Amino acid sequence: MRKVLVLYAHPFTGHSKANKAMRAAISKVEGVHIHDLYETYPNFVIHAEREKSLLQRHDTIVFQHPIYWYNIPSLVKEWLDRVLEHGWAYGAGGHALEGKELLCAVTSGGSEHAYSQVGQNLFELSSLLRPYELTAKLCGMRYLKPFIVYGAPALSDEAVKHYAGQYGDLLKAYTEDFTSDAPNTLHEIHRPFSTHHDVNESELAP
Amino acid sequence: MSLDSQLKVAAVVMLAACVAVPLARRAKLSAVLGYLVAGVLLGPSVMGIIMEPADVMHFSELGVVLFMFLIGLELNLSRLWQMRGPIMGLGALQVLISMAAFSLILLGFGMNTTTALIGGFGFALSSTAIALQILGERNMLRSPSGQLGFSILLFQDLIVIPVLVLIPLLGASLAGQGGIEQGSGSIWGGALNLLAVVALIAIGRRFIRPIFRMIAASRTREIFTAFSLLIITSMSVGMYSAGLSMALGAFLAGVLLSDSEYRHELEAHIEPFKGLLLGLFFLSVGMSLDFQTLGKAWPTVLGVLAVVLILKSAIIYGATRAFKLAPLEALFIAGTLSQCGEFGFVLFGLAHQSGVLETESLSVLNGVVALSMFSTSLIILGIDKFNERRPQSLETNNYPLPEDDRPEVIVAGHGRFGQITSRLLRACGVKTTLIDHSSDVVEGTKRFRIKTYYGDATRRDLLEAAGIERARAIVIAIDDRDAATQLAKEIKSHFPGKFVVARAYDLLHAYELLDVGVDHLERETFDSAVAMGRDVLKLLGVGAYQAEQAAQRFRKHDVESMHKLHKARGDEQDYLTRALEARDEIEKTLAEDQSIAQIKFQGTAW
């Protein structure tokens, strides 16, 4: 049995659609521990020691949150700044997170098309998640293929249910011990760091 | 006395007590004096409503018995052992010298030897009730001077016991026929009884606890009380039949139970009985004050009184000085303990019943005791006035001056508020000097190895001794509002360049502090009240983040309003308008605040 830690970061869960459903889908999965950041640290004063001990006790670390302004919610950033200490997570003597996995499970307002070279957001969402990728690299973690729910506000109830179900299955798979023939959903990517694709002016939509 | 006349007496007595005692307390006098005066008024000497004080007195002796029981109960053997030095040394010194002196005085006034000795001893004792009340009021119980005073009182309590034993025996041997209260039987019978009682005590110790536990488990309050009274009365009767005093029996019963876990329950149950019955006792003493005799003997009474008060104070002053107490403190303790105590009444009453003391002498001695009790309030008043006129010395209550520890922050007032602030500062490595004017606080923090200096932080010389010149900030956390404002003002004018941070009792006090220019202030209830509101929001299901946002916005706005309103304070009209504006602003802010309201993004969020 592997342990999955979900760092859930939504400032107003009550108003959420997709994140709320995703959270509900994983709440009953054994081996998954949901840690609500905005609920635990409403005043942004992170208790680093407590977080570190949580991290140590889990194998897969999931960051679940909406994308705000092409970026992560501010409390997640504060968490990263405070918890991943030199000498613990990285740097000399910093091996606490080595071998663990890092998974982004994010929802966006924009559609998949918008987040493409030809779309209005110019970049793929996964490139906007590079900071996570680099963080994982520095800490010796395996960076997994992000789980993205595009265009969340416009989704129908069935679509939300579908994606939530997929999310639930994904995390469930990570709670099971790995065998040699792992299911397809475990699509592990550890790309070497590549330069971003230059935007071709002619490809931009008018 | 028939029942209806008994009830009539009871009603009158209660009425007198209800009137006299509150009046006495109002005049800052001890309740004992209220009872005495009521008794004097009711008795044959004045209004003559109750013509047979002896009847009342018999009944009220129960009050004395219960009183002694509670004394025994409060006896804390380990504390006694700790204080054995001052108790044995100072206490014994005081009692012996006083007794010797007073007996000689009484002889000089023409009393016989036995009377002089008994009177001398009775006068040597002070009133625990009055003295402790005074010390308690001035927060001096734990200070060195208070402790010495307490040792004297404790020794007096202890020394009464053997005397209470001796007097009936003295009476028995003197009189031969014995009064109504005399124990029966021969010396041998008495000794056997005593042995039986001692055996009972030994056995009792074993069984008292389990029995109490059973009774406590039955959860019937009256049985608990009944059992306690049973113990007291059986021991008293036992002692009595052994030819000793009932009061002693009760005292031993109290000692027997003093280390049981039911001690506090016992106190709570017995205290009301004791209070009333003892009051009744003093009432009956007042009633039996024979004014005719007193009138005839008034030169004696007043003469003895004056001499006793002066000599007693002098002896206590000398004795406490010998035990290294500072002059002013010694003077205060001498004044506090100068009166003759309730025990005097008890002792003289017992001696009278045992036939050792004549009625005339009883009146005189009781008169002296009663008048001395009245005198204490006046004496203390005098000492206070005397102290006010003197230039104040820094050494108060024998505590050392603050030393200059080169602090960065001086915390004036180390009570509930100051302690928390200073803890945070010290946790962050800031060097602080803590000052408080309560010896309780000084002693209390000492237990945690935190040094609080004793003193009145509003005094400039004290602040200078503490190193205010080099300090960077002063935290004013004292609870006296006006003193706090005054202190802030003084520091701002005499020690410029220091940050002054003050605790404000409420909004009005905050304005005063702002007027004198404090750098920062905190209203003492404000943040905790806001935090509580936030806690309630969370319990009602509002998310922690939203609740926190709401609370912080509310807080910020309120602080801003406070400053705005403060500026408008001069103008009544403007102030009202401002206050209304402020309230509207808060409501608007909260309503508009995005964190609380619905987020609008195509009607949903993701």
Side-chain angles (χ1 to χ4, degrees), chain A residues 10-12 15-17 38-39 42 44 66-67 107 152, chain B residues 543-546 548 595 597-599 601-602 604-606:
Chain A
H10 200 300
F12 317 106
H15 297 128
S16 154
K17 205 172 169 186
Y38 275 93
E39 193 65 22
F44 278 57
I67 295 287
T107 64
Chain B
Y545 182 62
Q546 273 158 261
E548 184 69 28
S595 307
Q598 287 265 19
I599 298 175
F601 186 88
Q602 294 176 4
T604 55
W606 63 99

Side-chain angles (χ1 to χ4, degrees), chain B residues 224-507:
Chain B
F224 191 89
T225 312
F227 185 58
S228 327
L229 288 173
L230 174 64
I231 297 178
I232 299 172
T233 46
S234 49
M235 295 216 51
S236 307
V237 168
M239 285 288 154
Y240 182 69
S241 54
L244 302 171
S245 78
M246 291 198 290
L248 181 62
F251 176 77
L252 285 175
V255 173
L256 187 68
L257 294 166
S258 67
D259 59 353
S260 88
E261 64 258 37
Y262 295 103
R263 198 181 104 187
H264 292 289
E265 280 243 36
L266 278 171
E267 269 170 13
H269 284 238
I270 302 291
E271 186 79 33
F273 288 108
K274 164 237 165 192
L276 268 178
L277 289 171
L278 197 62
L280 204 61
F281 175 75
F282 293 129
L283 205 94
S284 57
V285 168
M287 278 193 251
S288 48
L289 270 183
D290 186 350
F291 273 77
Q292 286 214 311
T293 318
L294 274 181
K296 276 187 234 153
W298 72 264
T300 315
V301 172
L302 285 180
V304 172
L305 176 70
V307 174
V308 163
L309 284 179
I310 296 172
L311 259 187
K312 192 165 183 183
S313 313
I315 293 172
I316 297 178
Y317 180 82
T320 48
R321 289 283 287 139
F323 271 72
K324 309 257 183 19
L325 201 59
L328 277 180
E329 272 56 64
L331 183 66
F332 188 79
I333 295 295
T336 308
L337 268 67
S338 63
Q339 80 285 140
C340 305
E342 310 78 69
F343 269 133
F345 294 137
V346 176
L347 225 63
F348 302 151
L350 184 64
H352 179 243
Q353 280 149 20
S354 308
V356 182
L357 201 61
E358 302 123 28
T359 316
E360 271 186 30
S361 314
L362 176 69
S363 292
V364 173
L365 294 180
N366 273 350
V368 173
V369 174
L371 287 173
S372 74
M373 286 171 136
F374 278 107
S375 73
T376 307
S377 314
L378 294 169
I379 291 180
I380 296 294
L381 205 62
I383 294 183
D384 280 342
K385 286 268 181 281
F386 176 65
N387 274 335
E388 267 171 45
R389 298 247 183 85
R390 282 177 58 96
Q392 288 201 303
S393 71
L394 281 179
E395 288 246 10
T396 40
N397 278 31
N398 242 22
Y399 280 114
L401 269 178
E403 286 151 23
D404 185 354
D405 299 326
R406 305 179 86 97
E408 274 185 270
V409 177
I410 295 182
V411 179
H414 203 220
R416 292 171 310 153
F417 193 95
Q419 280 182 17
I420 297 178
T421 306
S422 70
R423 255 176 71 193
L424 174 57
L425 292 175
R426 284 198 313 278
C428 296
V430 174
K431 207 153 196 298
T432 58
T433 287
L434 317 164
I435 305 175
D436 199 274
H437 71 159
S438 154
S439 52
D440 281 349
V441 168
V442 174
E443 298 299 320
T445 52
K446 205 196 275 187
R447 262 183 262 140
F448 298 98
R449 284 191 251 128
I450 293 172
K451 189 165 196 185
T452 308
Y453 287 110
Y454 178 86
D456 178 357
T458 59
R459 286 168 41 173
R460 213 196 305 178
D461 42 9
L462 196 125
L463 290 174
E464 280 166 356
I468 193 174
E469 305 274 0
R470 272 182 297 243
R472 295 177 59 198
I474 291 89
V475 172
I476 302 180
I478 59 184
D479 40 25
D480 183 331
R481 277 174 264 185
D482 296 324
T485 312
Q486 184 60 25
L487 178 59
K489 191 168 175 192
E490 290 211 4
I491 296 180
K492 274 294 165 190
S493 54
H494 299 291
F495 301 104
K498 318 271 172 212
F499 295 120
V500 175
V501 181
R503 156 193 179 188
Y505 177 79
D506 61 5
L507 197 59

Side-chain angles (χ1 to χ4, degrees), chain A residues 68-79:
Chain A
Y68 288 153
W69 290 106
Y70 318 107
N71 212 322
I72 60 182
S74 47
L75 186 52
V76 181
K77 186 64 170 59
E78 180 70 9
W79 186 97

